[in-house]
Amino acid sequence: MTAPGTTTLTTADLVEGWRRVGVREGMALMVHSSLSGLGRVEGGAAAVVASLREAVGPGGTVAAPTFTTDTVRDPAPGRAGPPTAEIAELRSAVPLFHAGLPSSTGAVAEALRALPESLRSTHPQVSVAAVGAHAREVTARRSLGFAVGRESPFGALHDLGGHVLLIGVGHNRNTALHYAETFAPNRRLKLRRFPMAIQGERVWIEAPDVGDDNDTHFPVVGREFEETAGIREVSVGAAPCRLVPLRGLIPFAVRRLTELLAADGPTTAQPTGARHDGP
Protein backbone atom coordinates (compact mmCIF):
# COMPACT_ATOMS: atom_id res chain seq x y z
CA MET A 1 0.00 0.00 0.00
CA THR A 2 1.32 3.45 -0.92
CA ALA A 3 1.89 5.72 2.06
CA PRO A 4 -0.26 8.90 2.15
CA GLY A 5 1.46 11.87 0.55
CA THR A 6 4.05 9.87 -1.41
CA THR A 7 2.17 10.06 -4.73
CA THR A 8 0.98 13.09 -6.66
CA LEU A 9 -2.69 13.86 -6.04
CA THR A 10 -4.93 14.62 -9.01
CA THR A 11 -8.16 16.62 -8.95
CA ALA A 12 -10.08 13.34 -9.08
CA ASP A 13 -8.11 12.05 -6.07
CA LEU A 14 -9.00 15.18 -4.15
CA VAL A 15 -12.71 14.99 -5.00
CA GLU A 16 -12.75 11.39 -3.81
CA GLY A 17 -10.99 12.50 -0.65
CA TRP A 18 -13.51 15.28 0.07
CA ARG A 19 -16.29 12.75 -0.36
CA ARG A 20 -14.67 10.54 2.28
CA VAL A 21 -14.41 13.52 4.61
CA GLY A 22 -18.15 14.09 4.18
CA VAL A 23 -18.44 16.90 1.62
CA ARG A 24 -21.65 16.61 -0.40
CA GLU A 25 -23.22 18.50 -3.27
CA GLY A 26 -25.00 21.68 -2.24
CA MET A 27 -22.87 22.30 0.87
CA ALA A 28 -21.53 25.74 1.78
CA LEU A 29 -17.92 25.41 2.96
CA MET A 30 -15.52 27.71 4.77
CA VAL A 31 -12.14 26.22 3.93
CA HIS A 32 -9.04 26.62 6.11
CA SER A 33 -6.15 24.82 4.48
CA SER A 34 -2.47 24.03 4.16
CA LEU A 35 -1.50 23.23 0.57
CA SER A 36 1.82 21.78 1.67
CA GLY A 37 -0.01 19.61 4.19
CA LEU A 38 -1.68 17.70 1.37
CA GLY A 39 1.63 16.66 -0.18
CA ARG A 40 2.21 16.84 -3.92
CA VAL A 41 -0.82 18.09 -5.85
CA GLU A 42 -0.94 18.11 -9.62
CA GLY A 43 -1.95 21.65 -10.51
CA GLY A 44 -1.26 23.05 -7.04
CA ALA A 45 -3.67 25.34 -5.22
CA ALA A 46 -5.84 25.91 -8.31
CA ALA A 47 -6.50 22.17 -8.51
CA VAL A 48 -7.52 22.09 -4.84
CA VAL A 49 -10.04 24.88 -5.45
CA ALA A 50 -11.34 23.12 -8.59
CA SER A 51 -11.77 19.88 -6.66
CA LEU A 52 -13.73 21.60 -3.89
CA ARG A 53 -16.01 23.27 -6.40
CA GLU A 54 -16.61 19.95 -8.10
CA ALA A 55 -17.35 18.28 -4.77
CA VAL A 56 -20.06 20.82 -3.77
CA GLY A 57 -21.47 21.07 -7.29
CA PRO A 58 -23.30 24.02 -8.88
CA GLY A 59 -25.64 24.37 -5.90
CA GLY A 60 -22.79 24.61 -3.40
CA THR A 61 -20.49 27.40 -2.22
CA VAL A 62 -16.78 27.43 -1.43
CA ALA A 63 -15.39 30.26 0.72
CA ALA A 64 -12.02 30.95 2.29
CA PRO A 65 -10.55 33.68 4.50
CA THR A 66 -8.57 36.21 2.46
CA PHE A 67 -7.25 38.25 5.35
CA THR A 68 -4.90 41.22 4.91
CA THR A 69 -3.96 41.79 8.54
CA ASP A 70 -0.25 41.90 7.69
CA THR A 71 -0.80 44.53 5.00
CA VAL A 72 -3.63 46.84 6.04
CA ARG A 73 -2.52 47.65 9.56
CA ASP A 74 -1.21 50.58 11.56
CA PRO A 75 2.62 50.60 11.50
CA ALA A 76 2.64 52.66 14.73
CA PRO A 77 -0.15 51.13 16.84
CA GLY A 78 1.09 52.60 20.10
CA ARG A 79 1.15 56.18 18.86
CA ALA A 80 -1.76 58.34 20.02
CA GLY A 81 -2.49 61.88 18.98
CA PRO A 82 -1.17 63.74 15.94
CA PRO A 83 1.56 61.72 14.21
CA THR A 84 5.11 62.83 13.65
CA ALA A 85 6.20 63.38 10.05
CA GLU A 86 7.90 59.97 10.09
CA ILE A 87 4.81 58.13 11.36
CA ALA A 88 2.56 60.04 8.96
CA GLU A 89 4.78 58.87 6.09
CA LEU A 90 4.66 55.27 7.29
CA ARG A 91 0.87 55.39 7.61
CA SER A 92 0.47 56.94 4.18
CA ALA A 93 2.22 53.90 2.68
CA VAL A 94 -0.36 51.46 4.09
CA PRO A 95 -2.59 50.43 1.17
CA LEU A 96 -6.32 50.90 1.13
CA PHE A 97 -8.14 47.61 0.84
CA HIS A 98 -9.48 46.62 -2.58
CA ALA A 99 -10.77 43.36 -4.02
CA GLY A 100 -7.53 42.65 -5.88
CA LEU A 101 -5.26 43.06 -2.86
CA PRO A 102 -3.42 39.75 -2.34
CA SER A 103 -4.14 37.78 0.81
CA SER A 104 -1.63 36.22 3.21
CA THR A 105 -3.85 33.36 4.40
CA GLY A 106 -2.45 30.64 2.18
CA ALA A 107 -2.13 29.46 -1.39
CA VAL A 108 -5.56 27.84 -1.63
CA ALA A 109 -7.37 30.94 -0.35
CA GLU A 110 -5.38 33.13 -2.73
CA ALA A 111 -6.16 30.84 -5.67
CA LEU A 112 -9.86 31.09 -4.86
CA ARG A 113 -9.67 34.89 -4.55
CA ALA A 114 -7.92 35.17 -7.92
CA LEU A 115 -10.68 33.38 -9.86
CA PRO A 116 -12.43 35.79 -12.27
CA GLU A 117 -15.84 34.82 -10.90
CA SER A 118 -14.80 35.05 -7.23
CA LEU A 119 -16.53 37.59 -4.99
CA ARG A 120 -14.88 39.12 -1.93
CA SER A 121 -16.27 40.80 1.16
CA THR A 122 -15.01 44.27 1.94
CA HIS A 123 -13.66 44.37 5.48
CA PRO A 124 -10.16 45.90 5.18
CA GLN A 125 -8.49 43.25 7.37
CA VAL A 126 -10.68 40.14 7.50
CA SER A 127 -12.29 39.70 4.10
CA VAL A 128 -13.63 36.41 2.73
CA ALA A 129 -13.65 35.24 -0.89
CA ALA A 130 -16.34 32.92 -2.21
CA VAL A 131 -17.57 31.22 -5.36
CA GLY A 132 -20.76 29.34 -6.02
CA ALA A 133 -24.49 29.55 -5.48
CA HIS A 134 -24.42 31.63 -2.29
CA ALA A 135 -21.19 33.58 -2.88
CA ARG A 136 -22.94 36.93 -3.11
CA GLU A 137 -24.96 36.29 0.05
CA VAL A 138 -21.83 35.28 1.98
CA THR A 139 -19.65 38.19 0.86
CA ALA A 140 -22.31 40.90 1.16
CA ARG A 141 -22.07 41.11 4.94
CA ARG A 142 -19.65 43.47 6.66
CA SER A 143 -19.35 45.05 10.07
CA LEU A 144 -16.37 47.21 10.94
CA GLY A 145 -16.83 46.46 14.63
CA PHE A 146 -16.69 42.76 15.58
CA ALA A 147 -15.68 41.96 12.03
CA VAL A 148 -16.05 38.19 12.44
CA GLY A 149 -19.38 38.41 14.25
CA ARG A 150 -23.06 38.23 13.37
CA GLU A 151 -22.94 40.60 10.40
CA SER A 152 -19.95 38.93 8.75
CA PRO A 153 -19.47 36.21 6.13
CA PHE A 154 -19.11 33.77 9.03
CA GLY A 155 -22.59 34.71 10.24
CA ALA A 156 -23.92 34.23 6.72
CA LEU A 157 -22.38 30.76 6.47
CA HIS A 158 -23.84 29.83 9.83
CA ASP A 159 -27.28 30.94 8.64
CA LEU A 160 -26.85 28.81 5.52
CA GLY A 161 -26.15 25.73 7.63
CA GLY A 162 -22.60 25.70 6.32
CA HIS A 163 -19.58 23.67 7.34
CA VAL A 164 -15.95 24.39 8.16
CA LEU A 165 -13.51 22.18 6.26
CA LEU A 166 -10.11 21.94 7.93
CA ILE A 167 -7.45 20.66 5.51
CA GLY A 168 -4.16 19.95 7.22
CA VAL A 169 -4.76 22.60 9.91
CA GLY A 170 -6.25 22.62 13.39
CA HIS A 171 -8.91 24.56 15.20
CA ASN A 172 -6.37 27.26 16.02
CA ARG A 173 -7.02 28.29 12.39
CA ASN A 174 -10.81 27.98 12.65
CA THR A 175 -12.21 31.51 12.49
CA ALA A 176 -15.69 30.19 13.31
CA LEU A 177 -14.46 29.96 16.91
CA HIS A 178 -13.79 33.71 16.88
CA TYR A 179 -17.34 34.08 15.56
CA ALA A 180 -18.59 31.98 18.49
CA GLU A 181 -16.64 34.08 20.99
CA THR A 182 -18.44 37.23 19.88
CA PHE A 183 -21.53 35.77 21.61
CA ALA A 184 -19.73 34.96 24.88
CA PRO A 185 -20.60 37.45 27.66
CA ASN A 186 -16.97 37.49 28.84
CA ARG A 187 -15.36 37.61 25.39
CA ARG A 188 -11.79 38.78 25.03
CA LEU A 189 -11.34 42.11 23.24
CA LYS A 190 -8.89 43.91 21.00
CA LEU A 191 -8.91 46.98 18.77
CA ARG A 192 -8.34 46.88 15.03
CA ARG A 193 -6.91 49.90 13.21
CA PHE A 194 -6.93 50.33 9.45
CA PRO A 195 -7.21 53.08 6.82
CA MET A 196 -10.35 53.62 4.74
CA ALA A 197 -11.51 56.12 2.14
CA ILE A 198 -14.69 57.83 3.33
CA GLN A 199 -16.26 60.46 1.08
CA GLY A 200 -12.97 60.79 -0.75
CA GLU A 201 -10.90 61.32 2.39
CA ARG A 202 -8.38 58.80 3.73
CA VAL A 203 -9.02 58.25 7.45
CA TRP A 204 -7.90 55.75 10.09
CA ILE A 205 -10.63 53.66 11.71
CA GLU A 206 -10.46 52.10 15.17
CA ALA A 207 -12.94 49.28 15.79
CA PRO A 208 -13.40 46.64 18.52
CA ASP A 209 -13.24 42.91 17.87
CA VAL A 210 -12.76 39.70 19.80
CA GLY A 211 -9.22 39.06 20.94
CA ASP A 212 -6.77 36.47 19.68
CA ASP A 213 -6.74 33.00 21.18
CA ASN A 214 -3.05 32.24 20.59
CA ASP A 215 -3.71 28.48 20.83
CA THR A 216 -5.15 28.83 24.34
CA HIS A 217 -8.75 27.57 24.17
CA PHE A 218 -9.66 26.98 20.53
CA PRO A 219 -7.79 23.67 20.15
CA VAL A 220 -9.49 22.39 23.32
CA VAL A 221 -12.98 23.49 22.28
CA GLY A 222 -12.55 22.11 18.78
CA ARG A 223 -11.33 18.74 20.03
CA GLU A 224 -14.15 18.48 22.58
CA PHE A 225 -16.76 19.26 19.95
CA GLU A 226 -15.36 16.67 17.56
CA GLU A 227 -15.53 14.05 20.31
CA THR A 228 -19.08 15.04 21.26
CA ALA A 229 -20.32 15.17 17.65
CA GLY A 230 -18.49 12.01 16.57
CA ILE A 231 -16.51 13.80 13.88
CA ARG A 232 -13.78 11.62 12.46
CA GLU A 233 -10.49 12.71 10.99
CA VAL A 234 -9.89 11.55 7.41
CA SER A 235 -6.56 11.77 5.58
CA VAL A 236 -6.57 13.30 2.11
CA GLY A 237 -3.10 12.85 0.75
CA ALA A 238 -0.91 13.62 3.75
CA ALA A 239 -3.37 16.06 5.32
CA PRO A 240 -5.64 15.24 8.27
CA CYS A 241 -9.06 16.71 7.42
CA ARG A 242 -12.27 17.32 9.35
CA LEU A 243 -15.68 18.61 8.32
CA VAL A 244 -17.40 20.57 11.10
CA PRO A 245 -21.07 21.69 10.97
CA LEU A 246 -21.43 25.31 12.04
CA ARG A 247 -24.91 24.96 13.53
CA GLY A 248 -23.59 22.32 15.90
CA LEU A 249 -20.24 23.92 16.63
CA ILE A 250 -21.36 27.46 17.47
CA PRO A 251 -23.69 26.85 20.46
CA PHE A 252 -21.25 24.28 21.85
CA ALA A 253 -18.32 26.70 21.46
CA VAL A 254 -20.19 29.64 22.99
CA ARG A 255 -20.97 27.57 26.08
CA ARG A 256 -17.47 26.14 26.48
CA LEU A 257 -15.66 29.42 25.77
CA THR A 258 -17.86 31.16 28.33
CA GLU A 259 -16.83 28.53 30.89
CA LEU A 260 -13.14 28.56 29.99
CA LEU A 261 -12.89 32.35 29.92
CA ALA A 262 -14.67 32.59 33.27
CA ALA A 263 -12.04 30.27 34.73
CA ASP A 264 -9.32 32.55 33.34
CA GLY A 265 -10.64 35.51 35.31
CA PRO A 266 -10.70 39.14 34.13
CA THR A 267 -8.73 39.91 30.99
CA THR A 268 -7.27 43.11 29.61
CA ALA A 269 -8.10 44.24 26.10
CA GLN A 270 -5.25 43.76 23.67
CA PRO A 271 -3.64 47.04 22.56
CA THR A 272 -4.68 48.94 19.50
CA GLY A 273 -2.98 47.55 16.42
CA ALA A 274 -2.06 44.22 17.99
CA ARG A 275 -0.47 42.12 15.26
CA HIS A 276 -1.64 38.67 16.32
CA ASP A 277 -4.49 38.59 13.83
CA GLY A 278 -4.38 34.93 12.77
CA PRO A 279 -7.50 33.27 11.52
Side-chain angles (χ1 to χ4, degrees), residues 40-58:
R40 295 192 295 272
V41 177
E42 182 180 309
V48 176
V49 173
S51 71
L52 290 165
R53 298 182 72 182
E54 182 175 341
V56 300

Side-chain angles (χ1 to χ4, degrees), residues 261-268:
L261 293 172
D264 288 344
T267 60
T268 302

Side-chain angles (χ1 to χ4, degrees), residues 26-51:
M27 280 187 171
L29 301 179
M30 175 60 72
V31 179
H32 297 276
S33 61
S34 166
L35 177 61
S36 62
L38 285 164
R40 295 192 295 272
V41 177
E42 182 180 309
V48 176
V49 173
S51 71

Side-chain angles (χ1 to χ4, degrees), residues 50-82:
S51 71
L52 290 165
R53 298 182 72 182
E54 182 175 341
V56 300
T61 305
V62 179
T66 49
F67 297 168
T68 50
T69 48
D70 290 337
T71 306
V72 185
R73 63 176 180 84
D74 188 356
R79 175 74 185 198

Side-chain angles (χ1 to χ4, degrees), residues 129-153:
V131 293
H134 295 284
R136 190 167 301 280
E137 182 178 346
V138 168
T139 58
R141 292 198 192 181
R142 185 190 77 174
S143 173
L144 295 180
F146 295 97
V148 295
R150 185 73 187 85
E151 294 303 319
S152 75

Side-chain angles (χ1 to χ4, degrees), residues 170-186:
H171 284 281
N172 60 333
R173 295 275 299 277
N174 184 358
T175 310
L177 292 173
H178 287 293
Y179 170 71
E181 189 169 342
T182 66
F183 298 102
N186 48 354

